[in-house]
Amino acid sequence: QVQLVESGGGLVQAGDSLRLSCAASGSTFKTLAVGWFRQAPGKERDFVAGINYSGGSTYYANSVKGRFTISRENAKNMVYLQMNSLRPEETAVYYCAAGSMWPGLSSYAYWGQGTQVTVSS
């Protein structure tokens, strides 16, 4: 069993940066790929970024390429999402999930509770 807890969300202005953290429990976490998703009110949950079990491979949604960076520290059971040049339309609840690094929601077996990111204009 893997449990995930996100943190680092908050209120920022457009153009600011924010780093989200995902803390995991469970010895199998190191063997799992991880993804970040976001969900705005009234909208579907969208894929943001994914990373493989070792951190050697990453994948990003086109909308965040060049601005967001996903990374992980397996020794600490942590995954991060560095978000730069944030835009108001990126206001959403951000979730980390374990089990895959690709966009398909059904590939993920474990989900965190989410952290709110609000970007003001």
Side-chain angles (χ1 to χ4, degrees), residues 35-69:
W36 281 97
F37 289 76
R38 63 189 178 192
Q39 188 167 21
K43 295 190 176 181
E44 294 183 348
R45 190 168 299 190
D46 291 331
F47 175 83
V48 175
I51 190 166
N52 75 338
Y53 74 98
S54 68
S57 180
T58 57
Y59 181 72
Y60 296 93
N62 287 336
S63 59
V64 306
K65 277 181 184 177
R67 298 186 298 119
F68 289 16
T69 302

PDB file of all heavy atoms in Angstrom, residues 35-69:
ATOM      1  N   GLY A  35       2.924  10.466 -11.366  1.00  0.00           N
ATOM      2  CA  GLY A  35       2.436  11.556 -12.193  1.00  0.00           C
ATOM      3  C   GLY A  35       1.822  12.664 -11.358  1.00  0.00           C
ATOM      4  O   GLY A  35       1.401  12.437 -10.226  1.00  0.00           O
ATOM      5  N   TRP A  36       1.802  13.853 -11.922  1.00  0.00           N
ATOM      6  CA  TRP A  36       1.081  14.986 -11.342  1.00  0.00           C
ATOM      7  C   TRP A  36      -0.096  15.315 -12.262  1.00  0.00           C
ATOM      8  O   TRP A  36       0.056  15.344 -13.491  1.00  0.00           O
ATOM      9  CB  TRP A  36       1.979  16.214 -11.220  1.00  0.00           C
ATOM     10  CG  TRP A  36       2.917  16.204 -10.063  1.00  0.00           C
ATOM     11  CD1 TRP A  36       4.226  15.829 -10.068  1.00  0.00           C
ATOM     12  CD2 TRP A  36       2.618  16.611  -8.726  1.00  0.00           C
ATOM     13  NE1 TRP A  36       4.770  15.967  -8.817  1.00  0.00           N
ATOM     14  CE2 TRP A  36       3.806  16.450  -7.965  1.00  0.00           C
ATOM     15  CE3 TRP A  36       1.483  17.103  -8.069  1.00  0.00           C
ATOM     16  CZ2 TRP A  36       3.877  16.758  -6.609  1.00  0.00           C
ATOM     17  CZ3 TRP A  36       1.560  17.402  -6.727  1.00  0.00           C
ATOM     18  CH2 TRP A  36       2.752  17.224  -6.008  1.00  0.00           C
ATOM     19  N   PHE A  37      -1.225  15.576 -11.646  1.00  0.00           N
ATOM     20  CA  PHE A  37      -2.430  15.967 -12.368  1.00  0.00           C
ATOM     21  C   PHE A  37      -2.977  17.239 -11.739  1.00  0.00           C
ATOM     22  O   PHE A  37      -2.591  17.611 -10.629  1.00  0.00           O
ATOM     23  CB  PHE A  37      -3.496  14.864 -12.261  1.00  0.00           C
ATOM     24  CG  PHE A  37      -3.187  13.624 -13.042  1.00  0.00           C
ATOM     25  CD1 PHE A  37      -2.255  12.706 -12.587  1.00  0.00           C
ATOM     26  CD2 PHE A  37      -3.825  13.368 -14.241  1.00  0.00           C
ATOM     27  CE1 PHE A  37      -1.964  11.558 -13.314  1.00  0.00           C
ATOM     28  CE2 PHE A  37      -3.548  12.222 -14.972  1.00  0.00           C
ATOM     29  CZ  PHE A  37      -2.615  11.327 -14.506  1.00  0.00           C
ATOM     30  N   ARG A  38      -3.893  17.876 -12.440  1.00  0.00           N
ATOM     31  CA  ARG A  38      -4.584  19.032 -11.862  1.00  0.00           C
ATOM     32  C   ARG A  38      -6.034  19.044 -12.309  1.00  0.00           C
ATOM     33  O   ARG A  38      -6.362  18.554 -13.392  1.00  0.00           O
ATOM     34  CB  ARG A  38      -3.890  20.341 -12.249  1.00  0.00           C
ATOM     35  CG  ARG A  38      -3.874  20.639 -13.734  1.00  0.00           C
ATOM     36  CD  ARG A  38      -2.966  21.840 -14.017  1.00  0.00           C
ATOM     37  NE  ARG A  38      -2.891  22.141 -15.437  1.00  0.00           N
ATOM     38  CZ  ARG A  38      -1.993  22.989 -15.964  1.00  0.00           C
ATOM     39  NH1 ARG A  38      -1.122  23.605 -15.172  1.00  0.00           N
ATOM     40  NH2 ARG A  38      -1.977  23.214 -17.268  1.00  0.00           N
ATOM     41  N   GLN A  39      -6.857  19.609 -11.441  1.00  0.00           N
ATOM     42  CA  GLN A  39      -8.286  19.678 -11.739  1.00  0.00           C
ATOM     43  C   GLN A  39      -8.837  21.015 -11.295  1.00  0.00           C
ATOM     44  O   GLN A  39      -8.813  21.344 -10.111  1.00  0.00           O
ATOM     45  CB  GLN A  39      -9.030  18.538 -11.042  1.00  0.00           C
ATOM     46  CG  GLN A  39     -10.478  18.416 -11.447  1.00  0.00           C
ATOM     47  CD  GLN A  39     -11.102  17.115 -10.983  1.00  0.00           C
ATOM     48  OE1 GLN A  39     -10.617  16.460 -10.060  1.00  0.00           O
ATOM     49  NE2 GLN A  39     -12.181  16.722 -11.620  1.00  0.00           N
ATOM     50  N   ALA A  40      -9.318  21.765 -12.270  1.00  0.00           N
ATOM     51  CA  ALA A  40      -9.959  23.041 -12.000  1.00  0.00           C
ATOM     52  C   ALA A  40     -11.442  22.803 -11.741  1.00  0.00           C
ATOM     53  O   ALA A  40     -11.999  21.795 -12.189  1.00  0.00           O
ATOM     54  CB  ALA A  40      -9.758  23.982 -13.171  1.00  0.00           C
ATOM     55  N   PRO A  41     -12.116  23.722 -11.042  1.00  0.00           N
ATOM     56  CA  PRO A  41     -13.551  23.542 -10.758  1.00  0.00           C
ATOM     57  C   PRO A  41     -14.365  23.334 -12.023  1.00  0.00           C
ATOM     58  O   PRO A  41     -14.230  24.093 -12.988  1.00  0.00           O
ATOM     59  CB  PRO A  41     -13.925  24.853 -10.068  1.00  0.00           C
ATOM     60  CG  PRO A  41     -12.660  25.335  -9.461  1.00  0.00           C
ATOM     61  CD  PRO A  41     -11.575  24.937 -10.414  1.00  0.00           C
ATOM     62  N   GLY A  42     -15.158  22.286 -12.024  1.00  0.00           N
ATOM     63  CA  GLY A  42     -16.017  22.018 -13.159  1.00  0.00           C
ATOM     64  C   GLY A  42     -15.336  21.417 -14.368  1.00  0.00           C
ATOM     65  O   GLY A  42     -15.966  21.253 -15.419  1.00  0.00           O
ATOM     66  N   LYS A  43     -14.068  21.081 -14.219  1.00  0.00           N
ATOM     67  CA  LYS A  43     -13.326  20.530 -15.353  1.00  0.00           C
ATOM     68  C   LYS A  43     -12.781  19.148 -15.018  1.00  0.00           C
ATOM     69  O   LYS A  43     -12.772  18.728 -13.874  1.00  0.00           O
ATOM     70  CB  LYS A  43     -12.183  21.477 -15.747  1.00  0.00           C
ATOM     71  CG  LYS A  43     -12.664  22.822 -16.265  1.00  0.00           C
ATOM     72  CD  LYS A  43     -11.541  23.623 -16.865  1.00  0.00           C
ATOM     73  CE  LYS A  43     -12.049  24.911 -17.474  1.00  0.00           C
ATOM     74  NZ  LYS A  43     -10.960  25.708 -18.095  1.00  0.00           N
ATOM     75  N   GLU A  44     -12.324  18.468 -16.049  1.00  0.00           N
ATOM     76  CA  GLU A  44     -11.761  17.136 -15.861  1.00  0.00           C
ATOM     77  C   GLU A  44     -10.372  17.231 -15.234  1.00  0.00           C
ATOM     78  O   GLU A  44      -9.719  18.269 -15.285  1.00  0.00           O
ATOM     79  CB  GLU A  44     -11.674  16.421 -17.211  1.00  0.00           C
ATOM     80  CG  GLU A  44     -13.021  16.113 -17.833  1.00  0.00           C
ATOM     81  CD  GLU A  44     -12.882  15.340 -19.134  1.00  0.00           C
ATOM     82  OE1 GLU A  44     -11.763  15.239 -19.657  1.00  0.00           O
ATOM     83  OE2 GLU A  44     -13.912  14.834 -19.625  1.00  0.00           O
ATOM     84  N   ARG A  45      -9.949  16.118 -14.676  1.00  0.00           N
ATOM     85  CA  ARG A  45      -8.606  16.039 -14.123  1.00  0.00           C
ATOM     86  C   ARG A  45      -7.627  15.817 -15.272  1.00  0.00           C
ATOM     87  O   ARG A  45      -7.751  14.847 -16.037  1.00  0.00           O
ATOM     88  CB  ARG A  45      -8.517  14.889 -13.120  1.00  0.00           C
ATOM     89  CG  ARG A  45      -7.245  14.871 -12.318  1.00  0.00           C
ATOM     90  CD  ARG A  45      -7.348  13.902 -11.146  1.00  0.00           C
ATOM     91  NE  ARG A  45      -8.405  14.268 -10.209  1.00  0.00           N
ATOM     92  CZ  ARG A  45      -8.561  13.701  -9.025  1.00  0.00           C
ATOM     93  NH1 ARG A  45      -7.729  12.733  -8.630  1.00  0.00           N
ATOM     94  NH2 ARG A  45      -9.545  14.081  -8.226  1.00  0.00           N
ATOM     95  N   ASP A  46      -6.658  16.709 -15.396  1.00  0.00           N
ATOM     96  CA  ASP A  46      -5.723  16.692 -16.524  1.00  0.00           C
ATOM     97  C   ASP A  46      -4.320  16.317 -16.084  1.00  0.00           C
ATOM     98  O   ASP A  46      -3.838  16.740 -15.034  1.00  0.00           O
ATOM     99  CB  ASP A  46      -5.660  18.072 -17.196  1.00  0.00           C
ATOM    100  CG  ASP A  46      -6.948  18.423 -17.911  1.00  0.00           C
ATOM    101  OD1 ASP A  46      -7.661  17.508 -18.368  1.00  0.00           O
ATOM    102  OD2 ASP A  46      -7.240  19.631 -18.003  1.00  0.00           O
ATOM    103  N   PHE A  47      -3.674  15.582 -16.941  1.00  0.00           N
ATOM    104  CA  PHE A  47      -2.282  15.209 -16.722  1.00  0.00           C
ATOM    105  C   PHE A  47      -1.377  16.428 -16.855  1.00  0.00           C
ATOM    106  O   PHE A  47      -1.559  17.263 -17.742  1.00  0.00           O
ATOM    107  CB  PHE A  47      -1.885  14.144 -17.743  1.00  0.00           C
ATOM    108  CG  PHE A  47      -0.438  13.758 -17.706  1.00  0.00           C
ATOM    109  CD1 PHE A  47       0.026  12.826 -16.787  1.00  0.00           C
ATOM    110  CD2 PHE A  47       0.461  14.312 -18.610  1.00  0.00           C
ATOM    111  CE1 PHE A  47       1.356  12.452 -16.761  1.00  0.00           C
ATOM    112  CE2 PHE A  47       1.797  13.943 -18.598  1.00  0.00           C
ATOM    113  CZ  PHE A  47       2.248  13.016 -17.674  1.00  0.00           C
ATOM    114  N   VAL A  48      -0.373  16.507 -15.975  1.00  0.00           N
ATOM    115  CA  VAL A  48       0.578  17.615 -16.020  1.00  0.00           C
ATOM    116  C   VAL A  48       1.979  17.099 -16.359  1.00  0.00           C
ATOM    117  O   VAL A  48       2.629  17.584 -17.285  1.00  0.00           O
ATOM    118  CB  VAL A  48       0.618  18.368 -14.681  1.00  0.00           C
ATOM    119  CG1 VAL A  48       1.698  19.445 -14.704  1.00  0.00           C
ATOM    120  CG2 VAL A  48      -0.738  18.973 -14.362  1.00  0.00           C
ATOM    121  N   ALA A  49       2.452  16.124 -15.581  1.00  0.00           N
ATOM    122  CA  ALA A  49       3.816  15.627 -15.771  1.00  0.00           C
ATOM    123  C   ALA A  49       3.938  14.241 -15.147  1.00  0.00           C
ATOM    124  O   ALA A  49       3.195  13.902 -14.234  1.00  0.00           O
ATOM    125  CB  ALA A  49       4.828  16.574 -15.135  1.00  0.00           C
ATOM    126  N   GLY A  50       4.902  13.469 -15.653  1.00  0.00           N
ATOM    127  CA  GLY A  50       5.147  12.141 -15.113  1.00  0.00           C
ATOM    128  C   GLY A  50       6.635  11.848 -15.061  1.00  0.00           C
ATOM    129  O   GLY A  50       7.435  12.433 -15.818  1.00  0.00           O
ATOM    130  N   ILE A  51       7.008  10.938 -14.168  1.00  0.00           N
ATOM    131  CA  ILE A  51       8.410  10.567 -13.994  1.00  0.00           C
ATOM    132  C   ILE A  51       8.481   9.074 -13.720  1.00  0.00           C
ATOM    133  O   ILE A  51       7.631   8.520 -13.014  1.00  0.00           O
ATOM    134  CB  ILE A  51       9.052  11.391 -12.859  1.00  0.00           C
ATOM    135  CG1 ILE A  51      10.564  11.207 -12.816  1.00  0.00           C
ATOM    136  CG2 ILE A  51       8.410  11.077 -11.509  1.00  0.00           C
ATOM    137  CD1 ILE A  51      11.262  12.255 -11.946  1.00  0.00           C
ATOM    138  N   ASN A  52       9.500   8.416 -14.279  1.00  0.00           N
ATOM    139  CA  ASN A  52       9.598   6.976 -14.058  1.00  0.00           C
ATOM    140  C   ASN A  52      10.170   6.668 -12.677  1.00  0.00           C
ATOM    141  O   ASN A  52      10.500   7.573 -11.906  1.00  0.00           O
ATOM    142  CB  ASN A  52      10.391   6.312 -15.182  1.00  0.00           C
ATOM    143  CG  ASN A  52      11.880   6.561 -15.081  1.00  0.00           C
ATOM    144  OD1 ASN A  52      12.316   7.523 -14.458  1.00  0.00           O
ATOM    145  ND2 ASN A  52      12.658   5.702 -15.713  1.00  0.00           N
ATOM    146  N   TYR A  53      10.303   5.385 -12.353  1.00  0.00           N
ATOM    147  CA  TYR A  53      10.663   4.991 -10.989  1.00  0.00           C
ATOM    148  C   TYR A  53      12.036   5.509 -10.572  1.00  0.00           C
ATOM    149  O   TYR A  53      12.264   5.830  -9.401  1.00  0.00           O
ATOM    150  CB  TYR A  53      10.628   3.472 -10.857  1.00  0.00           C
ATOM    151  CG  TYR A  53      11.791   2.773 -11.514  1.00  0.00           C
ATOM    152  CD1 TYR A  53      12.889   2.370 -10.772  1.00  0.00           C
ATOM    153  CD2 TYR A  53      11.800   2.540 -12.883  1.00  0.00           C
ATOM    154  CE1 TYR A  53      13.965   1.750 -11.377  1.00  0.00           C
ATOM    155  CE2 TYR A  53      12.867   1.922 -13.496  1.00  0.00           C
ATOM    156  CZ  TYR A  53      13.954   1.533 -12.739  1.00  0.00           C
ATOM    157  OH  TYR A  53      15.022   0.919 -13.347  1.00  0.00           O
ATOM    158  N   SER A  54      12.960   5.628 -11.522  1.00  0.00           N
ATOM    159  CA  SER A  54      14.315   6.039 -11.171  1.00  0.00           C
ATOM    160  C   SER A  54      14.545   7.540 -11.295  1.00  0.00           C
ATOM    161  O   SER A  54      15.552   8.058 -10.809  1.00  0.00           O
ATOM    162  CB  SER A  54      15.319   5.316 -12.067  1.00  0.00           C
ATOM    163  OG  SER A  54      15.199   5.773 -13.405  1.00  0.00           O
ATOM    164  N   GLY A  55      13.632   8.207 -11.980  1.00  0.00           N
ATOM    165  CA  GLY A  55      13.825   9.630 -12.243  1.00  0.00           C
ATOM    166  C   GLY A  55      14.556   9.889 -13.544  1.00  0.00           C
ATOM    167  O   GLY A  55      14.787  11.046 -13.904  1.00  0.00           O
ATOM    168  N   GLY A  56      14.883   8.844 -14.261  1.00  0.00           N
ATOM    169  CA  GLY A  56      15.643   9.004 -15.478  1.00  0.00           C
ATOM    170  C   GLY A  56      14.834   9.374 -16.702  1.00  0.00           C
ATOM    171  O   GLY A  56      15.393   9.726 -17.749  1.00  0.00           O
ATOM    172  N   SER A  57      13.516   9.297 -16.589  1.00  0.00           N
ATOM    173  CA  SER A  57      12.657   9.626 -17.730  1.00  0.00           C
ATOM    174  C   SER A  57      11.473  10.461 -17.243  1.00  0.00           C
ATOM    175  O   SER A  57      10.862  10.149 -16.216  1.00  0.00           O
ATOM    176  CB  SER A  57      12.150   8.333 -18.376  1.00  0.00           C
ATOM    177  OG  SER A  57      11.326   8.616 -19.479  1.00  0.00           O
ATOM    178  N   THR A  58      11.167  11.505 -17.985  1.00  0.00           N
ATOM    179  CA  THR A  58      10.050  12.378 -17.630  1.00  0.00           C
ATOM    180  C   THR A  58       9.197  12.646 -18.862  1.00  0.00           C
ATOM    181  O   THR A  58       9.648  12.475 -20.012  1.00  0.00           O
ATOM    182  CB  THR A  58      10.533  13.717 -17.060  1.00  0.00           C
ATOM    183  OG1 THR A  58      11.392  14.361 -18.018  1.00  0.00           O
ATOM    184  CG2 THR A  58      11.295  13.522 -15.765  1.00  0.00           C
ATOM    185  N   TYR A  59       7.982  13.077 -18.599  1.00  0.00           N
ATOM    186  CA  TYR A  59       7.050  13.384 -19.686  1.00  0.00           C
ATOM    187  C   TYR A  59       6.148  14.513 -19.228  1.00  0.00           C
ATOM    188  O   TYR A  59       5.709  14.532 -18.077  1.00  0.00           O
ATOM    189  CB  TYR A  59       6.226  12.136 -20.019  1.00  0.00           C
ATOM    190  CG  TYR A  59       5.244  12.315 -21.148  1.00  0.00           C
ATOM    191  CD1 TYR A  59       5.673  12.428 -22.461  1.00  0.00           C
ATOM    192  CD2 TYR A  59       3.877  12.367 -20.904  1.00  0.00           C
ATOM    193  CE1 TYR A  59       4.778  12.589 -23.499  1.00  0.00           C
ATOM    194  CE2 TYR A  59       2.977  12.525 -21.935  1.00  0.00           C
ATOM    195  CZ  TYR A  59       3.427  12.633 -23.222  1.00  0.00           C
ATOM    196  OH  TYR A  59       2.542  12.786 -24.252  1.00  0.00           O
ATOM    197  N   TYR A  60       5.864  15.464 -20.143  1.00  0.00           N
ATOM    198  CA  TYR A  60       5.100  16.649 -19.772  1.00  0.00           C
ATOM    199  C   TYR A  60       3.944  16.890 -20.738  1.00  0.00           C
ATOM    200  O   TYR A  60       4.050  16.617 -21.935  1.00  0.00           O
ATOM    201  CB  TYR A  60       6.002  17.887 -19.785  1.00  0.00           C
ATOM    202  CG  TYR A  60       7.113  17.839 -18.766  1.00  0.00           C
ATOM    203  CD1 TYR A  60       8.367  17.344 -19.101  1.00  0.00           C
ATOM    204  CD2 TYR A  60       6.896  18.288 -17.463  1.00  0.00           C
ATOM    205  CE1 TYR A  60       9.386  17.292 -18.164  1.00  0.00           C
ATOM    206  CE2 TYR A  60       7.913  18.241 -16.519  1.00  0.00           C
ATOM    207  CZ  TYR A  60       9.152  17.747 -16.878  1.00  0.00           C
ATOM    208  OH  TYR A  60      10.154  17.697 -15.941  1.00  0.00           O
ATOM    209  N   ALA A  61       2.893  17.448 -20.199  1.00  0.00           N
ATOM    210  CA  ALA A  61       1.842  17.969 -21.056  1.00  0.00           C
ATOM    211  C   ALA A  61       2.412  19.139 -21.847  1.00  0.00           C
ATOM    212  O   ALA A  61       3.262  19.886 -21.337  1.00  0.00           O
ATOM    213  CB  ALA A  61       0.650  18.425 -20.217  1.00  0.00           C
ATOM    214  N   ASN A  62       1.948  19.304 -23.066  1.00  0.00           N
ATOM    215  CA  ASN A  62       2.483  20.380 -23.916  1.00  0.00           C
ATOM    216  C   ASN A  62       2.329  21.750 -23.264  1.00  0.00           C
ATOM    217  O   ASN A  62       3.184  22.620 -23.427  1.00  0.00           O
ATOM    218  CB  ASN A  62       1.771  20.375 -25.265  1.00  0.00           C
ATOM    219  CG  ASN A  62       2.200  19.225 -26.146  1.00  0.00           C
ATOM    220  OD1 ASN A  62       3.298  18.692 -25.987  1.00  0.00           O
ATOM    221  ND2 ASN A  62       1.340  18.823 -27.064  1.00  0.00           N
ATOM    222  N   SER A  63       1.268  21.923 -22.516  1.00  0.00           N
ATOM    223  CA  SER A  63       0.977  23.236 -21.938  1.00  0.00           C
ATOM    224  C   SER A  63       1.982  23.663 -20.865  1.00  0.00           C
ATOM    225  O   SER A  63       2.063  24.850 -20.539  1.00  0.00           O
ATOM    226  CB  SER A  63      -0.428  23.243 -21.345  1.00  0.00           C
ATOM    227  OG  SER A  63      -0.545  22.254 -20.338  1.00  0.00           O
ATOM    228  N   VAL A  64       2.743  22.718 -20.314  1.00  0.00           N
ATOM    229  CA  VAL A  64       3.674  23.066 -19.234  1.00  0.00           C
ATOM    230  C   VAL A  64       5.132  22.852 -19.608  1.00  0.00           C
ATOM    231  O   VAL A  64       6.018  23.177 -18.822  1.00  0.00           O
ATOM    232  CB  VAL A  64       3.351  22.278 -17.940  1.00  0.00           C
ATOM    233  CG1 VAL A  64       1.890  22.469 -17.544  1.00  0.00           C
ATOM    234  CG2 VAL A  64       3.703  20.806 -18.079  1.00  0.00           C
ATOM    235  N   LYS A  65       5.382  22.331 -20.778  1.00  0.00           N
ATOM    236  CA  LYS A  65       6.761  22.075 -21.202  1.00  0.00           C
ATOM    237  C   LYS A  65       7.583  23.349 -21.160  1.00  0.00           C
ATOM    238  O   LYS A  65       7.142  24.396 -21.628  1.00  0.00           O
ATOM    239  CB  LYS A  65       6.783  21.509 -22.622  1.00  0.00           C
ATOM    240  CG  LYS A  65       6.547  20.027 -22.703  1.00  0.00           C
ATOM    241  CD  LYS A  65       6.624  19.555 -24.154  1.00  0.00           C
ATOM    242  CE  LYS A  65       6.302  18.095 -24.270  1.00  0.00           C
ATOM    243  NZ  LYS A  65       6.292  17.642 -25.688  1.00  0.00           N
ATOM    244  N   GLY A  66       8.773  23.241 -20.583  1.00  0.00           N
ATOM    245  CA  GLY A  66       9.657  24.387 -20.488  1.00  0.00           C
ATOM    246  C   GLY A  66       9.411  25.262 -19.279  1.00  0.00           C
ATOM    247  O   GLY A  66      10.231  26.130 -18.959  1.00  0.00           O
ATOM    248  N   ARG A  67       8.286  25.059 -18.576  1.00  0.00           N
ATOM    249  CA  ARG A  67       7.983  25.848 -17.379  1.00  0.00           C
ATOM    250  C   ARG A  67       7.932  25.006 -16.117  1.00  0.00           C
ATOM    251  O   ARG A  67       8.271  25.483 -15.050  1.00  0.00           O
ATOM    252  CB  ARG A  67       6.646  26.570 -17.551  1.00  0.00           C
ATOM    253  CG  ARG A  67       6.602  27.558 -18.699  1.00  0.00           C
ATOM    254  CD  ARG A  67       5.275  28.332 -18.709  1.00  0.00           C
ATOM    255  NE  ARG A  67       4.140  27.441 -18.896  1.00  0.00           N
ATOM    256  CZ  ARG A  67       3.160  27.307 -18.011  1.00  0.00           C
ATOM    257  NH1 ARG A  67       3.162  27.996 -16.886  1.00  0.00           N
ATOM    258  NH2 ARG A  67       2.143  26.485 -18.260  1.00  0.00           N
ATOM    259  N   PHE A  68       7.501  23.773 -16.235  1.00  0.00           N
ATOM    260  CA  PHE A  68       7.386  22.871 -15.082  1.00  0.00           C
ATOM    261  C   PHE A  68       8.468  21.807 -15.153  1.00  0.00           C
ATOM    262  O   PHE A  68       8.862  21.360 -16.236  1.00  0.00           O
ATOM    263  CB  PHE A  68       6.024  22.177 -15.072  1.00  0.00           C
ATOM    264  CG  PHE A  68       4.853  23.058 -14.733  1.00  0.00           C
ATOM    265  CD1 PHE A  68       4.935  24.442 -14.767  1.00  0.00           C
ATOM    266  CD2 PHE A  68       3.636  22.483 -14.381  1.00  0.00           C
ATOM    267  CE1 PHE A  68       3.853  25.241 -14.462  1.00  0.00           C
ATOM    268  CE2 PHE A  68       2.532  23.275 -14.067  1.00  0.00           C
ATOM    269  CZ  PHE A  68       2.646  24.646 -14.119  1.00  0.00           C
ATOM    270  N   THR A  69       8.925  21.384 -13.978  1.00  0.00           N
ATOM    271  CA  THR A  69       9.903  20.315 -13.896  1.00  0.00           C
ATOM    272  C   THR A  69       9.497  19.331 -12.810  1.00  0.00           C
ATOM    273  O   THR A  69       9.275  19.731 -11.663  1.00  0.00           O
ATOM    274  CB  THR A  69      11.302  20.859 -13.580  1.00  0.00           C
ATOM    275  OG1 THR A  69      11.685  21.808 -14.581  1.00  0.00           O
ATOM    276  CG2 THR A  69      12.323  19.725 -13.559  1.00  0.00           C
TER     277      THR A  69
END
